[in-house]
Amino acid sequence: MVIKSTSKKSILIKICGITKISQAKAISQLKVDAIGVIGVESSPRFVPKEKCQKIFEEVEKNSSNIERVLVIANKEIKKIDFSSNESSSPTVIQLHGNESVDYCHKLKIKFPEIFIWKAFRLKSILDLREIRRYENFVDAILLDAWDNKSLGGTGKRIPIELLVNRTFNTPWILAGGISYETIPEIFSKIKPDGIDASSLLETSPGIKDIAKVKSLIRVIKEDH
């Protein structure tokens, strides 16, 4: 499977919106598969480039098996660059804006060694048709809830009925309103390849409640 840390017997667990180096360290030690940092300036969880590099270095120091995910949106490809220090660079670029198929293709050519994940915000079944055009140009898709004011991190949930019996040709990750309380219902109806959680694990934007993170991981591993 292209999601590197995931096998047929496990599900990828991504904790997103990390803003503190200390929390990157703590969460890295919980055997998650991916940690995300937000590089979108309009987000309340935005992390500047230099701090992002330090967070990624801390993740790498604790586990080289954890994907370091940089979340960006509608950024010009020529303005995307990384440190030559591999431990401070992302292993995944997550596109959370209105990026085109051509954009994804060009970004993959520029960074062939980095995984490209494309996020889609679902409002109705019509939104699912758009995803098909991207599947051959990205390494995974991430499905998030629609919000007319925010690109993500809202705590809103995707209408699960949209995804029942739905299959994709590339690995897919479920986001939007994920918490340890919602996992049993989710897994009883759909089988995503990964789970992406952020806002419902927080005490405030970008500050995780580590107890809630632990509970989420436990429930996912027990239920899957």
Side-chain angles (χ1 to χ4, degrees):
M1 184 173 287
V2 181
I3 300 180
K4 188 166 61 176
S5 301
T6 305
S7 71
K8 292 181 179 179
K9 295 182 180 180
S10 63
I11 186 166
L12 178 139
I13 302 173
K14 172 176 173 256
I15 307 300
C16 200
I18 303 302
T19 60
K20 287 185 170 293
I21 296 171
S22 60
Q23 292 212 320
K25 178 179 180 179
I27 294 170
S28 295
Q29 295 171 347
L30 298 179
K31 297 184 179 180
V32 299
D33 302 295
I35 285 179
V37 175
I38 308 298
V40 182
E41 292 187 13
S42 61
S43 170
R45 300 170 184 83
F46 170 68
V47 174
K49 184 176 179 179
E50 289 186 4
K51 188 174 183 182
C52 176
Q53 291 174 338
K54 291 178 181 178
I55 289 174
F56 284 161
E57 285 175 351
E58 187 63 38
V59 173
E60 171 69 16
K61 188 189 304 181
N62 284 274
S63 175
S64 60
N65 292 323
I66 296 176
E67 304 289 7
R68 305 184 298 274
V69 184
L70 175 63
V71 180
I72 60 176
N74 304 320
K75 189 169 184 176
E76 289 184 64
I77 291 178
K78 64 182 180 181
K79 293 183 179 180
I80 303 173
D81 63 313
F82 306 117
S83 166
S84 58
N85 180 356
E86 290 187 3
S87 67
S88 65
S89 296
T91 58
V92 177
I93 299 174
Q94 180 178 312
L95 302 173
H96 224 289
N98 302 313
E99 296 85 4
S100 66
V101 171
D102 185 58
Y103 180 104
C104 296
H105 181 55
K106 289 178 178 176
L107 189 64
K108 189 65 177 178
I109 291 173
K110 182 175 181 178
F111 300 108
E113 75 286 359
I114 295 179
F115 291 134
I116 306 298
W117 295 357
K118 179 70 181 84
F120 299 88
R121 296 178 296 147
L122 300 187
K123 183 166 53 174
S124 73
I125 197 167
L126 297 177
D127 298 317
L128 290 167
R129 297 177 184 174
E130 179 73 2
I131 294 172
R132 295 296 182 194
R133 301 194 302 112
Y134 285 80
E135 288 183 310
N136 292 329
F137 298 95
V138 298
D139 298 294
I141 58 175
L142 185 143
L143 305 182
D144 203 350
W146 168 263
D147 184 89
N148 62 353
K149 295 181 180 179
S150 177
L151 294 176
T154 64
K156 292 184 177 181
R157 296 180 63 185
I158 295 175
I160 292 295
E161 61 271 15
L162 295 180
L163 299 173
V164 174
N165 297 323
R166 188 72 54 177
T167 59
F168 300 96
N169 295 322
T170 192
W172 69 282
I173 302 165
L174 180 69
I178 301 294
S179 68
Y180 67 92
E181 295 100 334
T182 63
I183 289 298
E185 178 197 356
I186 290 169
F187 284 179
S188 71
K189 296 178 179 179
I190 59 175
K191 305 297 180 185
D193 297 304
I195 290 290
D196 183 345
S198 180
S199 61
L200 294 189
L201 305 179
E202 295 179 333
T203 57
S204 61
I207 307 301
K208 306 305 179 195
D209 181 328
I210 300 300
K212 289 184 177 181
V213 176
K214 289 180 179 178
S215 294
L216 176 71
I217 295 168
R218 175 180 52 78
V219 171
I220 289 175
K221 293 184 181 296
E222 288 177 353
D223 282 21
H224 184 70

